[in-house]
Amino acid sequence: MDAFTAGLLQRIKATEFDLSRARDEGDDFLVEVEQAELDDLRRLAAEHGVEVGATSRV
């Protein structure tokens, strides 16, 4: 796995964690921000052929 792929997958994992925490805290604004970031990261992954995996879905 190259550095780009590893970094992208790490950012996705961190964003998923942050999204989950925002949901748990009931912070609707932060949920929207983190979801948008996650959508962008997943789009970037798809554009570059990076397999995110079904278990990473939030």
Side-chain angles (χ1 to χ4, degrees):
M1 178 180 313
D2 62 32
F4 173 79
T5 300
L8 183 56
L9 292 174
Q10 180 57 38
R11 286 181 62 197
I12 289 171
K13 184 177 179 179
T15 303
E16 288 173 336
F17 177 80
D18 292 343
L19 176 58
S20 179
R21 185 177 49 188
R23 285 181 176 153
D24 290 346
E25 293 173 358
D27 188 335
D28 293 337
F29 176 75
L30 189 54
V31 166
E32 289 185 35
V33 170
E34 296 297 345
Q35 185 62 60
E37 176 72 9
L38 188 56
D39 292 344
D40 286 344
L41 290 169
R42 287 181 176 154
R43 178 191 48 76
L44 185 62
E47 288 175 357
H48 291 276
V50 175
E51 181 70 34
V52 175
T55 60
S56 294
R57 290 282 192 198
V58 174

